[in-house]
Amino acid sequence: MMPSFARTAEVIGVAFGLLVFLLLLVSGFPGSAPAIEGAPPLQDGTPHPVEGRGDCLACHGAGSAKPVPPSHTGRPNTTCLACHPAVPAAPVDAPPRPSPENPAPSAPPQSFAVQGDAECMACHAQPLDLTFANGQKLSLRVDADAFGSSVHGGKLGCGDCHANISQVPHAKTRATSLREYVTAQYEVCKRCHFANYTKTLDSVHYQVMSTGERNAPVCTDCHSAHTVAQPNEPRIKISEACGRCHVQVYADYRTSVHGSALRAEDNKDVPDCTTCHGVHDIYSATSASFHLSSTDLCASCHSDEKMMDKYGISANVLQTYLDDFHGRTVNFARQEARTIWTDKPVCVDCHGVHDIKKANDPESPTIKANLLQTCQKCHPTATANFSAAWLSHYEPSLQKSPIVYLVKVYYWALIPMMIGGLVLHILLDLWRLARNR
């Protein structure tokens, strides 16, 4: 009876041993070649440290930057280093014994160091989101081709801007909303663009943001984050960027004489938003100083004879304005104090602000049919004769307002003659007195 029992136990032991051997054969022996067909030969070693990087498939799994080949499908993490052994680390000195003065450090988190842009793109080339406490989401996917063709492509790497990220998985962000995250990150730009950053501190946008309004624009709102391009290629992109916040202003501008020419022809002569408002040091357009200096902004183009000759426009518009009652009073106000608001009209009060039309456009506020209504904004009792008396920006001539021109010529002759006659009279009188003595 006993021999029979021993024989049975021996058979069971052999069967169990064969089962264990088969299981090891399927999973792979440590240090052995892969047990699956088509696997690569034994490698010399991994091209990066593997300490703390036990989850190989996090970067090399399906859909990642360097996915496993089809022959490795189903192969678990535990067998990766059998064919791809770790490079032996250089020997280091043994750490000192823990003591009350020098306690043992706590165990490090299960993370590993980021090893260059390729490792970043292993995750960030895939659809990836960051969800904030308020439910908002931020896409973390980066288009490598779009970034490569941006102004930073080939010049900056991921770590140049994201210097605070050095471990995977990344530390949890403290931002509770998408806007809080954006405003916390934008100052990264000042590491390279410090001069432009300091200009923004004087802008109306920063003044608004300093009051706690997080929706004020920052660098990435205008320039984007990973697809930064030259802002003036084409120039309409500048105004389109402003239009993302200033929706109605851009709607008026895009149909104006300036916006239409910029959109249709990419005309280099017409102003975009930054031509009048500045780039990074944008001032408030509602201030008294901006209102008074707006005539100089218009004159910077409209007094340029070479530019105005292209379009058949007089380059004397500023001078004719300054010679007029309106221009003289504005000039006096400007000389006295630029910080005090004046109700005297400047260019934009008659021609419009962002919706400026051609002078012969039926919707232009300065065309004859609409001029009285424009004058009545300041002169509510004005009649048709009031607006008809304005010479526009034309200088009187025989072709334009000949009566005014002839009166002007008459006075040019009369006044010198009167003054000359008066001087002659005085001299003759003095000569008579001297002779009679």
Side-chain angles (χ1 to χ4, degrees):
M1 191 69 180
M2 290 298 293
S4 177
F5 176 80
R7 183 65 178 173
T8 302
E10 183 180 355
V11 171
I12 293 173
V14 171
F16 182 79
L18 288 173
L19 179 61
V20 171
F21 176 80
L22 290 173
L23 289 173
L24 289 174
L25 187 63
V26 171
S27 62
F29 292 100
S32 68
I36 56 180
E37 184 179 356
L42 188 65
Q43 305 296 305
D44 293 336
T46 59
H48 59 74
V50 295
E51 176 110 19
R53 301 186 179 188
D55 188 4
C56 302
L57 296 179
C59 294
H60 298 284
S64 63
K66 294 182 179 179
V68 296
S71 59
H72 284 48
T73 302
R75 194 143 177 100
N77 274 307
T78 54
T79 63
C80 295
L81 294 179
C83 296
H84 306 278
V87 176
V92 296
D93 295 334
R97 285 179 173 273
S99 63
E101 296 79 15
N102 185 27
S106 57
Q110 294 297 314
S111 62
F112 58 86
V114 176
Q115 302 286 322
D117 296 350
E119 194 162 50
C120 297
M121 294 306 297
C123 292
H124 289 278
Q126 313 304 322
L128 195 64
D129 293 327
L130 173 63
T131 303
F132 297 95
N134 66 350
Q136 292 179 319
K137 289 187 177 183
L138 170 65
S139 174
L140 301 180
R141 183 181 181 277
V142 177
D143 187 327
D145 293 334
F147 176 78
S149 61
S150 73
V151 296
H152 293 147
K155 300 175 183 177
L156 296 179
C158 303
D160 292 316
C161 296
H162 301 282
N164 61 324
I165 297 177
S166 59
Q167 297 288 320
V168 176
H170 307 326
K172 187 177 181 181
T173 180
R174 296 181 180 180
T176 59
S177 67
L178 174 59
R179 197 61 198 166
E180 184 180 347
Y181 180 83
V182 170
T183 53
Q185 293 292 320
Y186 93 96
E187 290 198 356
V188 168
C189 302
K190 73 179 180 182
R191 296 176 187 169
C192 298
H193 305 282
F194 188 74
N196 286 336
Y197 171 78
T198 54
K199 289 180 181 178
T200 66
L201 303 182
D202 296 324
S203 71
V204 65
H205 293 150
Y206 186 81
Q207 292 172 15
V208 172
M209 188 168 67
S210 64
T211 64
E213 176 54 68
R214 292 189 180 275
N215 289 323
V218 295
C219 305
T220 52
D221 291 316
C222 301
H223 296 282
S224 78
H226 298 103
T227 57
V228 181
Q230 291 293 343
N232 59 346
E233 295 179 1
R235 286 180 67 224
I236 190 62
K237 287 175 57 179
I238 298 174
S239 300
E240 288 175 344
C242 300
R244 289 198 288 268
C245 293
H246 303 279
V247 178
Q248 186 55 52
V249 169
Y250 177 68
D252 292 338
Y253 170 79
R254 69 188 303 272
T255 58
S256 71
V257 62
H258 296 144
S260 299
L262 185 59
R263 288 190 306 113
E265 311 162 18
D266 194 24
N267 191 311
K268 305 298 182 183
D269 294 333
V270 299
D272 56 40
C273 301
T274 57
T275 307
C276 300
H277 296 282
V279 184
H280 297 100
D281 51 350
I282 299 173
Y283 296 105
S284 172
T286 59
S287 65
S289 59
F290 186 91
H291 181 255
L292 286 171
S293 63
S294 62
T295 54
D296 294 331
L297 287 174
C298 299
S300 62
C301 292
H302 285 274
S303 293
D304 187 330
E305 288 190 32
K306 185 177 180 180
M307 183 186 296
M308 293 300 103
D309 284 347
K310 294 181 186 179
Y311 309 101
I313 300 175
S314 171
N316 293 327
V317 289
L318 177 64
Q319 190 58 50
T320 56
Y321 169 75
L322 293 176
D323 289 342
D324 186 74
F325 173 77
H326 293 149
R328 290 185 181 278
T329 53
V330 167
N331 200 32
F332 288 146
R334 213 163 31 174
Q335 293 173 3
E336 290 180 3
R338 286 179 174 265
T339 57
I340 300 176
W341 187 274
T342 177
D343 59 354
K344 304 302 183 291
V346 295
C347 307
V348 295
D349 292 315
C350 298
H351 293 277
V353 184
H354 299 102
D355 55 347
I356 299 173
K357 306 294 184 183
K358 287 185 177 181
N360 58 357
D361 189 299
E363 296 183 8
S364 171
T366 58
I367 199 171
K368 188 174 182 179
N370 302 327
L371 187 57
L372 176 60
Q373 185 178 357
T374 302
C375 294
Q376 287 176 338
K377 290 191 296 184
C378 296
H379 307 280
T381 60
T383 63
N385 289 334
F386 182 90
S387 58
W390 183 52
L391 296 177
S392 300
H393 288 290
Y394 293 101
E395 292 182 295
S397 65
L398 290 174
Q399 292 75 31
K400 182 70 177 180
S401 303
I403 296 177
V404 176
Y405 173 74
L406 292 173
V407 170
K408 188 175 182 180
V409 171
Y410 171 74
Y411 276 102
W412 279 348
L414 178 64
I415 293 174
M417 289 176 61
M418 291 181 64
I419 295 176
L422 178 62
V423 171
L424 180 62
H425 176 78
I426 294 172
L427 291 174
L428 290 173
D429 191 52
L430 291 173
W431 177 79
R432 183 185 61 80
L433 290 173
R435 184 178 179 184
N436 292 338
R437 280 186 174 184

